[in-house]
Amino acid sequence: MIGLLRGTLAGRDGDEVLVEVAGVGYRVTVTPALSAGLGELGGEVVLHIHHHIREDAQTLYGFQGVEERRTFGALLAARGVGPALAQSLLSVHSPASLATILANDDLDALCLVNGVGVKSAARLLVELKSRLDIGDLASVVSADEPSAGASEPRSQVRQALAELGYRPEEVGDAMAALPDEGDSSALLKAALQHLGARS
């Protein structure tokens, strides 16, 4: 079962929440921040679910957005990354932040995650670059936007950089360094690399 779980928040227990759907309770593993953000018991909640199956257990992992769920699945595909580490990574870094970290080879940012040292961070950079495409970030920004001609990719890149927290002057500098044409994925990657080289 990978999809949406909509129901009533019936309980909290550590890193798990209990969601009741039509009289059936589902235990869902979530981050502390998400658990706290779900509101009061008895309220309606909607979670994006990853159903993780092992020989000895089946666990539901819940996320606030579809991109977090997709990134969680991609992280699990990397060698040496299990559900606990994947969830820890997403507790510290959003999917957009991970894209920036990969573009900038930012070992220090990965080391902010509990249990990740310099050696494991270096291995993770290599592993995750083969699993997480920076282009995914552009798809998040453009998913609900209609096509608007040749200027649309540059507009998407500008919006993505702003959402990542770059200052207007940094965004302007990065945009000025980009070619006039190209798809949003390639342009965003080039912009992040340009900004990383300046820092």
Side-chain angles (χ1 to χ4, degrees):
M1 182 181 82
I2 299 180
L4 281 176
L5 181 65
R6 183 189 304 270
T8 301
L9 182 62
R12 286 188 178 92
D13 183 14
D15 62 351
E16 286 186 340
V17 294
L18 181 64
V19 180
E20 182 181 340
V21 182
V24 178
Y26 294 90
R27 291 197 173 277
V28 184
T29 301
V30 297
T31 64
L34 179 53
S35 177
L38 290 177
E40 299 296 328
L41 296 181
E44 183 181 67
V45 295
V46 178
L47 294 172
H48 293 264
I49 298 295
H50 177 95
H51 187 187
H52 188 68
I53 301 175
R54 299 185 312 184
E55 290 183 1
D56 59 343
Q58 297 188 38
T59 307
L60 300 180
Y61 290 89
F63 304 93
Q64 189 170 22
V66 65
E67 190 60 23
E68 289 179 342
R69 185 190 70 195
R70 289 174 181 163
T71 302
F72 182 79
L75 289 171
L76 290 180
R79 182 169 51 89
V81 178
L85 179 55
Q87 196 166 47
S88 293
L89 283 162
L90 287 173
S91 294
V92 177
H93 300 296
S94 68
S97 295
L98 282 175
T100 305
I101 289 167
L102 297 183
N104 295 337
D105 291 327
D106 192 346
L107 287 175
D108 291 338
L110 286 179
C111 288
L112 294 174
V113 178
N114 187 34
V116 176
V118 176
K119 288 185 178 180
S120 57
R123 177 179 54 77
L124 279 172
L125 274 178
V126 175
E127 283 287 324
L128 298 183
K129 278 187 176 182
S130 68
R131 302 291 180 180
L132 298 177
D133 184 359
I134 292 175
D136 291 344
L137 177 58
S139 70
V140 175
V141 174
S142 61
D144 298 323
E145 296 181 3
S147 175
S151 65
E152 187 66 20
R154 291 179 64 87
S155 174
Q156 292 170 5
V157 171
R158 182 181 296 276
Q159 182 177 345
L161 293 175
E163 291 184 358
L164 284 170
Y166 287 105
R167 299 189 303 274
E169 58 268 26
E170 292 176 312
V171 173
D173 179 65
M175 297 303 296
L178 295 180
D180 291 334
E181 297 182 356
D183 62 47
S184 57
S185 174
L187 291 175
L188 179 59
K189 183 174 182 178
L192 291 171
Q193 289 174 337
H194 175 79
L195 290 166
R198 292 176 67 250
S199 60

